[in-house]
Amino acid sequence: MDKSIPLTEALFYILLAVRKPNHGYGIIQEVLEMTAGRLNLGPGTLYGAINSMLEKGWIRLYSEDKESRKKKEYLITDQGEGIFYNEVKRLGELVENAKKMELRKVGV
Amino acid sequence: MLKFRIYFDKDAEEVWLKEMSLKGWAFKKFLIGFYIFEECEPGEYNYQIDLLDNWKGDKKDFASFMEESGVEVISQWYRWIYIRKRASEGPLEMYTDSESKIAQYNRIKKFFRLGLLLEIVCFMIEINAAIRTGSSLIWLLTVFIGIIALTFLQMVWKCNWKIEQLKQ
């Protein structure tokens, strides 16, 4: 697994929204809240992202009750958390470096 | 109301369904070129058209996922899916980032490329038969198949162009 590929914004926020079991509509709502309404995930984008992450093993199906037509819930896996952790570390480094640049600019 | 139209470009088809909705006609069902409409409040619904990943399997999964996400799957024709959402419940945009939009146009491109290949094979068989028999009916069919093949080719180009636009 190549861990150096940056996550798309959609994948990043979906991973953040499935740290506890969450279903499709719940993920859309939570991402909307986290970004103060900026990122409104399209259902097609979400569907594709969930399926590709299920395939890669970054998330797993948490529950599927066919009898009561309960909504499918998804949960992050250890592998997913590893990917997410590495990405946060990479993004942190980006921000750190950007801050250094800004400080120098102010200092001039 | 029943209307007959032939669309190859789903973006143009979406625009037409939106126009019909604004005129007070809600699209209900599609069957080989026939569109069934019901009366609705002008502009009541927005529409999107999507192409499923594969021929088998994921239809039910896709539909139940969409329903859970607050959009309605109203009609299906092979792998083509028609989705709608009430305008009062917010905008309808199936794909919200360029990665997933590119993936969608890649699916559509592959679909038409396969169609193009099949049409070329048919065209070869027909033109062979037309030359051999000299039948004007078979010549007519050959021309017809040729036109379809060119339309599919045009769709493959269109998808390529849209993918290039999205990559910028």
Side-chain angles (χ1 to χ4, degrees), chain B residues 49-56 58-59 62 75-82 106-108 110-112 114:
Chain B
I49 301 161
D50 201 3
L51 182 68
L52 288 179
D53 225 350
N54 54 24
W55 290 97
K56 47 186 183 350
D58 68 0
K59 282 176 185 175
F62 179 88
S75 186
Q76 189 175 343
W77 194 64
Y78 294 110
R79 284 167 63 194
W80 293 95
I81 301 255
Y82 294 84
N106 266 321
R107 282 202 298 281
I108 296 172
K110 273 187 199 159
F111 178 87
F112 282 112
L114 181 68

Side-chain angles (χ1 to χ4, degrees), chain A residues 21-43:
Chain A
N22 209 342
H23 52 80
Y25 189 68
I27 295 169
I28 294 175
Q29 292 303 313
E30 202 171 321
V31 172
L32 263 177
E33 270 170 41
M34 277 192 277
T35 60
R38 182 181 62 82
L39 187 61
N40 191 357
L41 287 177

Side-chain angles (χ1 to χ4, degrees), chain B residues 10-20:
Chain B
K10 68 115 192 147
D11 293 335
E13 194 178 353
E14 279 171 2
V15 170
W16 179 60
L17 293 178
K18 169 89 186 167
E19 281 169 10
M20 289 299 289

Side-chain angles (χ1 to χ4, degrees), chain A residues 8-11 23-25 28 39-48 50-51 64 69-72 74, chain B residues 50 52 58-59 61-66 68-71 83 85 91-97 99-101:
Chain A
T8 65
E9 204 178 31
L11 291 184
H23 52 80
Y25 189 68
I28 294 175
L39 187 61
N40 191 357
L41 287 177
T45 296
L46 182 63
Y47 184 77
I50 282 180
N51 278 329
E64 191 187 3
R69 292 178 65 211
K70 207 181 155 201
K71 290 172 182 174
K72 271 187 186 174
Y74 307 93
Chain B
D50 201 3
L52 288 179
D58 68 0
K59 282 176 185 175
D61 186 55
F62 179 88
S64 63
F65 189 92
M66 291 302 138
E68 282 169 17
S69 307
V71 297
I83 294 141
K85 187 177 177 178
L92 172 57
E93 209 184 340
M94 282 293 280
Y95 296 97
T96 44
D97 58 20
E99 288 86 2
S100 55
K101 281 178 192 167

